[in-house]
Amino acid sequence: MGSREEIASNKQVMAKDYITGNPKAADMYLRNSTISLKLPPEASNAVLVKNLYLSCDPYMRGVKRRDANRLFYSFNPNSEIIGYGVCKVVDSKHPGFKRGDLVWGVTKWEEYSVINMTDSLFKIEHTDVPLSYYTGILGMPGMTAYAGFYEVGAPKKGDYVFISSAFGAVGQLVGQLAKLMGCYVVGSAGSNEKVEILKNKYGFDGAFNYKEEHDFDAVLKKYFLEGIDIYFDNVGGDMLEAALGNMRRRGRIVVAGMISQYDLDEPQGIKNLVNIVYKQVKVEAYTVYDYYDLYPKFLETILPYIREGKITYIEDTDEGLESGPAALERLFTGRNAGKQVIKLAQE
Amino acid sequence: MGSREEIASNKQVMAKDYITGNPKAADMYLRNSTISLKLPPEASNAVLVKNLYLSCDPYMRGVKRRDANRLFYSFNPNSEIIGYGVCKVVDSKHPGFKRGDLVWGVTKWEEYSVINMTDSLFKIEHTDVPLSYYTGILGMPGMTAYAGFYEVGAPKKGDYVFISSAFGAVGQLVGQLAKLMGCYVVGSAGSNEKVEILKNKYGFDGAFNYKEEHDFDAVLKKYFLEGIDIYFDNVGGDMLEAALGNMRRRGRIVVAGMISQYDLDEPQGIKNLVNIVYKQVKVEAYTVYDYYDLYPKFLETILPYIREGKITYIEDTDEGLESGPAALERLFTGRNAGKQVIKLAQE
């Protein structure tokens, strides 16, 4: 009461309509809006944040579908893009957050956002690492890698590990965690540049460009003379079929995604499921949402690795909200060179 | 030394050659042989047994293939059929077994057998239940049901459970265990007679004859309005595809077998694996051999149920070794009416 309301301009990235297939820059537009930097008294439990970094993630392809399934947030045409971000609290009606707190979680693609679903916000306690990491290695993708590899994959030292989309925001961490555990690690990626980084920077034992290979079964046989213990699957389809044919007894296929299968009119048939029986394979999908209780344990594991330089993480950062639509499109064409981040403000 | 060697006649069921596809009676022949009922001194750790009951099991289709994989025993043309049985020890050079002991485990299709692989033998301690049960509900198929349902399926009270081949040696026990746990249970089987028994004798909430259904997806939708929590799969193929489309979030597909897929020249493609991602499904195959350490716990669970009449078990018993080849063939055409057993001797 009585304090002069401060009104700020608020640029926003809007989606025009429902989207079929992968999001393209042309599906979005920029809008100039304004926002009060003080929450109204009735906004109980809400927080108002300034968005510092926004994250482009593969799951976002599902957000804007008309038939979006329950995994994803609901969406209306002509509304802001929703996604993960790193934010600074400007005003708070929530007892758990105060002005100046740094948080990461689900926000909107705009300069300032009112967040009502505060359950998805994590307070950032460690700022000696790049803040942008909380969109990737220390955020949702990192937790996805950690839960999938350790909890679903049940890895052991010496395991033979194959990762598809190994240069993605999730895959690059899975591979490094596997190497740190003493596993043999091979990854597939979509360019020779990415393959080189996997081998030379991340220490993968092998990597190949799937776009240059025609016989995935033969490639996997070459890299896995003894077969595969853990296949960390981000793509499904042909690569899953080839991996199934090369699993070892009691192998685990951790399904983080099947990006090759989402937009097919006629989904591909996988013909060798009988290998599941022959080799007593486990195929398990999961969602990171079921594992967030492990987040403190996850930080305890990953932060020291980052500080000691034992894990690195490559980001592909664009500056400014205006770059968002093109950055999101680039993610789905594989032309990003690391975890795709949009930087809005320093703090 | 000095004891007069007793020679007994020993009828045997032999396989002519490697077998492709399901075993047929014509693939086997009877042979009259003889055997000494005293083990030679050099037969250290072996036991000599009289076979009382022999078991016909689905896995036996794989035993006689030229390319038999490591799951199964090796096989040479013109050798005895190998399988599970209930036996009485006649002579023993193994400290763990003595004359008169009743055992179950892997033996041969003949009247008397020398067993060298004694690791696979379990001593029978409880004889207040039918001895033949140790080929089925209290033997390998029973352990398969128990391990698959409790250990792999991780069932909870109230779960929606679907079982294919529900009248088989494994399926009929899985269904009854699920009912005892308070699950909703529906099974598929290959005749109307079997369907009636599942509903009326085993207390399944529903059952259908898969041979009379053309749209498995529609049938499952009818029986599982809320979806399936656990699919206990014995068949693979179309039924697996239909079940995948009807799983609930975090559902478990326990793969005990994929009998529909073993002999196809061109294996069937399963097109809806993406449901694994959408519903965070786990698909897991297993082999009973990895769970035999649970055998004492298994007996503690199942024996009281049998004694109290809370679990029943239907056997289809043929008399005499001569009936073996036809009985084994019958198992693979689904014309058996319960767990297929061959009775050789009372004791």
Side-chain angles (χ1 to χ4, degrees):
Chain A
M1 291 302 228
S3 80
R4 265 253 297 295
E5 210 182 6
E6 191 191 338
I7 303 290
S9 77
N10 193 25
K11 253 183 300 183
Q12 302 178 300
V13 177
M14 313 291 288
K16 284 184 191 159
D17 202 346
Y18 295 111
I19 299 175
T20 322
N22 292 329
K24 287 172 196 57
D27 297 324
M28 294 163 255
Y29 63 97
L30 278 152
R31 184 169 82 170
N32 288 308
S33 174
T34 59
I35 189 168
S36 163
L37 294 188
K38 205 134 189 83
L39 285 165
E42 67 272 19
S44 68
N45 285 320
V47 296
L48 174 69
V49 300
K50 180 179 182 186
N51 294 308
L52 308 180
Y53 293 93
L54 296 173
S55 178
C56 297
D57 293 296
Y59 83 89
M60 293 174 76
R61 65 175 301 294
V63 173
K64 291 175 267 83
R65 294 166 66 97
R66 189 183 296 272
D67 61 344
N69 74 47
R70 53 189 157 171
L71 248 183
F72 305 119
Y73 306 98
S74 66
F75 168 81
N76 296 314
N78 283 305
S79 60
E80 305 88 345
I81 302 283
I82 291 173
Y84 281 88
V86 170
C87 329
K88 189 169 195 168
V89 176
V90 173
D91 192 15
S92 172
K93 299 280 181 195
H94 188 290
F97 302 97
K98 62 176 193 305
R99 186 180 161 85
D101 280 351
L102 291 164
V103 296
W104 70 268
V106 176
T107 185
K108 292 177 182 168
W109 282 31
E110 54 191 357
E111 290 173 282
Y112 295 94
S113 298
V114 175
I115 300 179
N116 292 300
M117 285 172 58
T118 47
D119 282 358
S120 88
L121 293 184
F122 290 82
K123 223 189 276 195
I124 294 174
E125 315 276 5
H126 307 276
T127 54
D128 60 326
V129 291
L131 268 187
S132 57
Y133 276 17
Y134 290 93
T135 67
I137 187 171
L138 294 175
M140 184 274 289
M143 262 306 295
T144 303
Y146 177 87
F149 183 62
Y150 289 118
E151 300 295 316
V152 185
K156 295 180 305 294
K157 188 175 178 220
D159 272 356
Y160 298 96
V161 177
F162 173 54
I163 304 163
S164 59
S165 200
F167 195 70
V170 174
Q172 54 172 305
L173 182 54
V174 172
Q176 292 180 86
L177 291 175
K179 283 306 301 173
L180 284 165
M181 180 165 251
C183 299
Y184 169 87
V185 181
V186 174
S188 65
S191 77
N192 293 336
E193 217 184 330
K194 292 176 182 178
V195 164
E196 284 312 305
I197 297 173
L198 291 176
K199 287 195 287 192
N200 301 328
K201 197 170 169 73
Y202 291 157
F204 279 43
D205 299 285
F208 62 90
N209 179 350
Y210 74 90
K211 290 178 180 167
E212 293 188 348
E213 301 291 346
H214 301 288
D215 184 345
F216 292 161
D217 178 65
V219 183
L220 292 182
K221 283 203 163 37
K222 190 181 84 181
Y223 282 109
F224 294 95
L225 298 173
E226 317 254 1
I228 300 168
D229 291 298
I230 299 178
Y231 170 39
F232 197 94
D233 186 15
N234 286 298
V235 302
D238 288 338
M239 197 67 92
L240 173 58
E241 187 164 276
L244 259 170
N246 285 282
M247 296 304 290
R248 298 180 87 188
R249 192 172 114 74
R250 304 204 81 179
R252 286 83 69 200
I253 297 182
V254 181
V255 184
M258 290 193 185
I259 201 152
S260 74
Q261 299 298 296
Y262 297 140
D263 284 322
L264 304 178
D265 291 330
E266 172 77 343
Q268 224 176 325
I270 303 293
K271 293 192 172 171
N272 61 350
L273 287 188
V274 75
N275 282 298
I276 292 176
V277 179
Y278 291 152
K279 313 277 187 62
Q280 297 103 60
V281 169
K282 183 174 81 168
V283 183
E284 186 169 0
Y286 68 105
T287 166
V288 65
Y289 308 111
D290 291 327
Y291 292 94
Y292 273 130
D293 55 319
L294 298 177
Y295 188 66
K297 200 177 147 203
F298 159 77
L299 282 185
E300 265 173 51
T301 308
I302 305 297
L303 277 170
Y305 283 145
I306 295 175
R307 289 176 182 138
E308 295 161 22
K310 289 186 178 160
I311 283 184
T312 53
Y313 198 68
I314 297 179
E315 295 179 332
D316 187 342
T317 308
D318 281 326
E319 300 265 346
L321 191 67
E322 301 78 1
S323 64
L328 189 59
E329 175 173 336
R330 204 157 66 239
L331 178 72
F332 292 103
T333 55
R335 278 179 289 126
N336 58 309
K339 162 69 192 169
Q340 186 74 57
V341 183
I342 303 153
K343 182 177 177 180
L344 304 197
Q346 194 71 40
E347 250 197 58
Chain B
M1 288 304 230
S3 82
R4 264 254 295 298
E5 209 182 8
E6 190 191 338
I7 302 292
S9 75
N10 193 25
K11 252 181 302 185
Q12 302 178 301
V13 178
M14 312 292 286
K16 283 181 191 161
D17 202 346
Y18 295 110
I19 298 176
T20 323
N22 292 328
K24 287 172 197 56
D27 297 324
M28 295 163 254
Y29 64 95
L30 278 153
R31 182 169 82 170
N32 288 308
S33 174
T34 59
I35 188 167
S36 163
L37 295 188
K38 207 136 188 79
L39 286 166
E42 68 272 18
S44 68
N45 285 322
V47 294
L48 174 69
V49 300
K50 180 178 182 186
N51 294 308
L52 308 180
Y53 294 93
L54 296 173
S55 178
C56 297
D57 292 296
Y59 83 89
M60 294 173 75
R61 65 175 301 293
V63 174
K64 290 175 267 81
R65 294 165 67 96
R66 188 183 297 270
D67 61 346
N69 73 44
R70 52 190 157 171
L71 245 185
F72 305 118
Y73 308 98
S74 66
F75 168 81
N76 295 313
N78 283 306
S79 61
E80 305 87 345
I81 301 284
I82 290 172
Y84 282 88
V86 171
C87 329
K88 188 168 196 169
V89 175
V90 173
D91 192 15
S92 171
K93 297 279 182 199
H94 188 289
F97 303 97
K98 63 176 194 302
R99 187 180 159 85
D101 280 351
L102 291 165
V103 296
W104 72 267
V106 176
T107 184
K108 292 177 183 169
W109 282 30
E110 55 191 358
E111 290 172 283
Y112 295 94
S113 297
V114 175
I115 300 178
N116 292 300
M117 285 173 59
T118 47
D119 281 357
S120 87
L121 293 184
F122 289 83
K123 224 190 270 196
I124 294 173
E125 315 275 4
H126 306 277
T127 54
D128 60 325
V129 292
L131 269 186
S132 58
Y133 276 16
Y134 290 93
T135 67
I137 186 170
L138 294 175
M140 182 275 287
M143 262 307 293
T144 303
Y146 177 87
F149 183 62
Y150 289 117
E151 299 296 316
V152 185
K156 294 179 306 295
K157 189 175 177 216
D159 271 356
Y160 298 96
V161 177
F162 173 53
I163 304 163
S164 58
S165 200
F167 194 71
V170 175
Q172 54 173 303
L173 182 54
V174 172
Q176 292 180 85
L177 291 175
K179 282 308 298 172
L180 284 165
M181 179 165 253
C183 298
Y184 169 87
V185 181
V186 174
S188 66
S191 77
N192 293 334
E193 217 183 329
K194 292 175 182 178
V195 164
E196 284 312 305
I197 297 173
L198 291 176
K199 288 196 288 192
N200 301 328
K201 199 172 169 73
Y202 291 156
F204 278 43
D205 299 285
F208 62 90
N209 179 350
Y210 74 89
K211 291 178 179 165
E212 294 187 349
E213 302 290 345
H214 301 290
D215 184 346
F216 292 161
D217 179 63
V219 183
L220 292 182
K221 283 204 163 34
K222 190 181 84 181
Y223 282 109
F224 294 94
L225 299 173
E226 316 255 3
I228 299 168
D229 290 299
I230 299 178
Y231 169 40
F232 196 95
D233 186 15
N234 287 297
V235 302
D238 289 336
M239 196 68 90
L240 173 57
E241 187 164 276
L244 260 170
N246 286 281
M247 296 305 289
R248 299 180 86 189
R249 191 171 114 76
R250 305 204 83 178
R252 287 83 71 199
I253 298 182
V254 182
V255 184
M258 290 193 184
I259 201 152
S260 75
Q261 299 299 298
Y262 297 140
D263 284 321
L264 304 178
D265 291 331
E266 173 78 342
Q268 225 174 324
I270 303 292
K271 293 191 172 170
N272 61 350
L273 286 188
V274 76
N275 282 298
I276 292 176
V277 180
Y278 290 152
K279 313 278 186 61
Q280 297 104 58
V281 169
K282 183 174 82 169
V283 183
E284 186 169 359
Y286 68 106
T287 166
V288 64
Y289 308 111
D290 291 326
Y291 291 95
Y292 273 130
D293 56 321
L294 298 177
Y295 188 66
K297 200 177 145 203
F298 160 76
L299 283 183
E300 264 173 51
T301 308
I302 304 296
L303 277 169
Y305 283 146
I306 294 174
R307 289 175 183 138
E308 294 161 21
K310 287 185 179 162
I311 282 184
T312 54
Y313 199 69
I314 297 180
E315 295 179 333
D316 187 343
T317 308
D318 282 325
E319 299 265 345
L321 191 67
E322 301 79 0
S323 65
L328 189 58
E329 176 173 336
R330 205 158 62 239
L331 178 72
F332 292 103
T333 55
R335 278 180 287 125
N336 58 309
K339 162 69 194 170
Q340 186 75 56
V341 184
I342 302 153
K343 180 177 177 180
L344 303 195
Q346 194 71 40
E347 253 200 56

